[in-house]
Amino acid sequence: VPLTDAQQRLSTTMIKYWTNFAAHGDPNGEGLPAWPKFISSSPQYMTFRTDRVAADATFREVHKCKFWSEQGWANLYGPYDAPFPTH
């Protein structure tokens, strides 16, 4: 099944983010919505939809991550430490 125009745009956007990250260690690039640096005290998550790509500070609350962490899925809630030391 061929992709719709909106799905193709989303695919292209995601490929650009991955390519930038692989090449430069940073997913951001020209023409892309800003992907903010992760800060565990005020996390934002990127949401990818065919009608909108953006950072989202409400992800944990909207998706009930605290509830799921209490059910044994603790990795869904965070906050998460940075995987590498920051300088």
Side-chain angles (χ1 to χ4, degrees), residues 6-77:
Q7 290 170 328
Q8 185 60 55
R9 281 190 303 277
L10 178 59
S11 174
T12 299
T13 297
M14 293 177 78
I15 289 168
K16 287 179 182 179
Y17 279 125
W18 280 110
T19 301
N20 289 341
F21 183 72
H24 309 290
D26 182 350
N28 291 295
E30 186 176 334
L32 293 171
W35 187 318
K37 182 177 181 178
F38 184 81
I39 301 170
S40 62
S41 62
S42 59
Q44 294 187 59
Y45 304 88
M46 289 301 286
T47 55
F48 295 91
R49 301 181 351 194
T50 55
D51 63 336
R52 183 172 183 259
V53 173
D56 180 0
T58 65
F59 182 90
R60 292 192 322 173
E61 291 77 25
V62 169
H63 294 280
K64 312 286 190 259
C65 293
K66 185 173 189 300
F67 168 81
W68 290 112
S69 73
E70 292 168 351
Q71 308 311 308
W73 297 89
N75 61 330
L76 295 177
Y77 188 65

